[in-house]
Amino acid sequence: MLLRNFGACPADTFGRERPFWRRAFAPRRPTERRCAREPASCYALCTRWSNAPACFDLALAFEHHSLAVADVLDKERLYALACAGGFPAGCTNRAAGIRNGGYAGDPFRDAPGADTDACLARSFRLDCDRRGAWGCAMLGQAYRLGEGVAAEASRARAALDMACAIKPDFAACAFAKRQRAEMDAPPGREDDAP
């Protein structure tokens, strides 16, 4: 299951691995801190119990802490699994990983740019539509830069504003505010570097 959805667009895999019994029994969501202390426990919740939030929190632990675990595990695969398990933030983080590159084993490295950009925009929209602040912030950037969607300032502003409306004191809102400032800068001063 860790590899089955890895090469597909996150938006196309959302919820595919959510078991039918998931709604009846949902183990408590661990935290990133707990997953950093007990990665084996979070891994078991993620894979044995199909707990998509546990996959996400374990991916965050990989990203922010030094974990000594098997090489088969990495944050990109765990974000993909969280997305496939029905956790929309996993879709955004996997799409952001694809967008930012730098991962040697990523099947998207050699994919055509236009196809990849459209996939990313769909993945960000999926999370934003479910009130994910980072999904909205990244979707706003996609509209600002015309990545995977037509460049539309009004849609960019709406998505960026939504990121802050969802979680005003969150890193996604700070990112959205920087994107807005770049959009609103006088001509000639805008820096399109993400």
Side-chain angles (χ1 to χ4, degrees):
M1 189 156 68
L2 279 175
L3 300 175
R4 183 172 35 213
N5 294 306
F6 189 57
C9 176
D12 297 338
T13 67
F14 179 68
R16 276 194 195 161
E17 299 295 335
R18 184 181 359 203
F20 70 91
W21 51 265
R22 183 77 176 93
R23 294 193 198 282
F25 175 74
R28 238 177 97 171
R29 178 180 175 180
T31 62
E32 175 187 339
R33 184 178 297 156
R34 177 179 165 209
C35 288
R37 282 192 323 265
E38 304 170 23
S41 172
C42 286
Y43 179 75
L45 280 172
C46 172
T47 57
R48 290 188 199 138
W49 292 99
S50 299
N51 185 319
C55 300
F56 184 81
D57 289 333
L58 184 56
L60 288 176
F62 269 94
E63 191 167 346
H64 302 135
H65 307 274
S66 296
L67 300 182
V69 292
D71 287 342
V72 71
L73 292 178
D74 61 62
K75 66 182 174 78
E76 296 302 325
R77 283 182 173 80
L78 289 166
Y79 285 138
L81 192 53
C83 177
F87 197 73
C91 302
T92 285
N93 284 29
R94 172 65 183 125
I98 293 167
R99 181 183 188 277
N100 296 337
Y103 179 66
D106 199 321
F108 280 89
R109 267 182 91 105
D110 300 321
D115 293 345
T116 298
D117 286 348
C119 159
L120 302 182
R122 286 194 342 261
S123 299
F124 299 145
R125 181 177 293 113
L126 180 147
D127 188 23
C128 184
D129 287 349
R130 288 161 179 79
R131 300 202 39 85
W134 268 116
C136 292
M138 296 301 288
L139 181 61
Q141 183 183 48
Y143 275 117
R144 182 177 82 78
L145 300 174
E147 293 178 342
V149 292
E152 289 186 50
S154 63
R155 286 187 176 202
R157 283 185 181 90
L160 295 169
D161 290 346
M162 179 60 75
C164 288
I166 294 168
K167 286 190 178 178
D169 296 325
F170 189 54
C173 180
F175 176 85
K177 287 178 179 178
R178 287 192 307 274
Q179 293 293 312
R180 281 294 304 256
E182 289 178 21
M183 287 179 70
D184 298 337
R189 290 189 50 210
E190 185 172 329
D191 178 12
D192 281 340

